[in-house]
Amino acid sequence: MTQPRSPLQTALGLRLASLMAFPAGAALMAIFQRSPLALALLTAAMLAVSLYERRRLAAAAGAQTAISGATLLTGFGFRLGLLIAIFVITVGLLALFRDTSLARQLELIDAGLIALPAAVALAANEMSARIAQRELGDVRTQLTAAFADARGPAAPEAGGDIIEGEIIDADDPPERR
């Protein structure tokens, strides 16, 4: 028997899909033998999605984010290195089985291969955020209800003291052992 997926597992799966969208886009560019110049644009799209998600998360948390030029350049360089590595490995594997000839210029198909991973990442992140927000609201409601029940009329209103888990009534003297 299979276990039903919890909403949080679905949200985490969507986050994983958004992380893998751009490396898959780099592999697709290699499969379609597109220009390596398009990797720079794919990297810029990856960085833009990352910045958008960072700002959206900060706004939801009520914080502000400060982004410096050095952070942007470091992020761009790291992402570009990752995508180039995936592109080169994929082209190398393809070269073992067929002739490869990479495009020399950017074309319309490059725009589609850049927009597709960006759209997938944005959509997956949006769905994941909505699921997580709904689950967080449910947990908050359950905690609020649990604390309200603890303070409600069912709670004891005794005048005794609680010492190490024992309730000692103020009217009865403690027993000697």
Side-chain angles (χ1 to χ4, degrees):
M1 236 165 59
T2 61
Q3 294 283 338
R5 288 180 58 101
S6 75
L8 290 179
Q9 285 176 324
T10 303
L12 290 175
L14 287 168
R15 288 288 173 171
L16 181 63
S18 72
L19 285 174
M20 298 307 296
F22 288 101
L28 275 175
M29 283 188 170
I31 290 169
F32 286 121
Q33 300 181 8
R34 300 312 313 152
S35 172
L37 297 174
L39 287 176
L41 295 175
L42 183 66
T43 304
M46 186 179 188
L47 187 62
V49 168
S50 174
L51 290 174
Y52 174 76
E53 286 301 315
R54 184 181 299 172
R55 287 187 184 244
R56 188 175 58 81
L57 185 62
Q64 293 182 356
T65 58
I67 300 168
S68 68
T71 304
L72 286 176
L73 286 176
T74 303
F76 185 82
F78 178 77
R79 287 170 175 87
L80 183 62
L82 171 74
L83 296 181
I84 286 174
I86 292 169
F87 184 83
V88 168
I89 290 170
T90 307
V91 166
L93 288 173
L94 290 173
L96 292 173
F97 302 107
R98 66 179 188 187
D99 290 336
T100 56
S101 175
L102 299 178
R104 294 177 189 249
Q105 60 191 9
L106 297 174
E107 294 178 5
L108 189 57
I109 190 170
D110 294 321
L113 289 174
I114 292 167
L116 179 67
V120 167
L122 286 173
N125 282 335
E126 183 64 30
M127 288 187 287
S128 172
R130 287 184 186 207
I131 291 170
Q133 189 176 20
R134 186 179 64 232
E135 288 299 309
L136 184 62
D138 291 347
V139 168
R140 189 176 293 147
T141 302
Q142 290 173 357
L143 285 175
T144 303
F147 283 123
D149 288 345
R151 287 181 274 158
E157 305 229 358
D161 297 325
I162 299 176
I163 301 173
E164 294 183 16
E166 291 185 45
I167 297 176
I168 300 174
D169 193 10
D171 296 334
D172 293 335
E175 296 179 16
R176 302 252 182 217
R177 294 183 189 182

